[in-house]
Amino acid sequence: MAVERTLSIIKPDGVEKNIIGEVYSRFEKAGLKVVAARMLHLSQEQAEGFYAVHSERPFFNDLVKFMTSGPVMVQVLEGDNAIARNRELMGATNPAEAEPGTIRADFAQTIDANVVHGSDGADTARTEIDFFFKPEEIHSR
Ligand code: UDP
């Protein structure tokens, strides 16, 4: 198995629900290490830039509004198959379709406010990690 890095965000609803520790605990139990982390309140420009790939989608404006509605917790996770493993922990985009025991099934109510983000592939992971962190801010161990 390949050691990978992936970009994870606990979205404003997750921070508001006070489940940062709960989500981090799930990462750690799954063998994923938090190797960089920062809390920040995304600006409109940051949210639009981060989700640029969705700019033509009908939900884009609401997504940007939601992602700028409060602070988020952004982290780099590292571990074997980190990208797919994090997606498994998160569950499906729509919490109604997420497997029981996943973060979204347990904590999210709607498809838009769904608690967590996770990179969906190797190229995306690289781009998304670079979006938030400089190489010297990532502490592999
Ligand atoms: N989203 C939404 N409505 C939709 C689809 C997506 O509000 O019909 C939001 C939701 O917050 C989702 C994000 O846009 O997490 C990115 O969508 P994507 O399909 O990339 O899902 P993800 O990779 O987050 O599971």
Side-chain angles (χ1 to χ4, degrees), residues 13-26:
D13 57 330
V15 173
E16 179 61 28
K17 285 175 207 253
N18 205 24
I19 53 169
I20 294 171
E22 168 69 35
V23 173
Y24 271 40
S25 170
R26 292 180 182 218

Side-chain angles (χ1 to χ4, degrees), residues 16 34 62 104 121:
E16 179 61 28
V34 177
D62 286 342
R104 283 167 166 170

Side-chain angles (χ1 to χ4, degrees), residues 128-139:
E128 292 183 348
I129 290 169
D130 287 350
F131 188 90
F132 286 108
F133 295 100
K134 301 189 186 102
E136 63 269 26
E137 292 173 325
I138 303 173
H139 304 279

Side-chain angles (χ1 to χ4, degrees), residues 1 4 8 14 29 36-37 41 48 60 64-65 67 71 76 84 88 93 100 109 113 119:
M1 272 193 286
E4 295 174 335
S8 158
K29 285 183 184 135
H41 194 139
E48 286 174 352
F60 181 69
V64 169
K65 206 167 163 188
M67 289 300 291
V76 178
E88 281 169 24
T93 309
Q109 272 80 44
S119 309

Side-chain angles (χ1 to χ4, degrees), residues 109-122:
Q109 272 80 44
T110 63
I111 192 170
D112 46 337
N114 57 8
V115 178
V116 278
H117 167 86
S119 309
D120 62 3

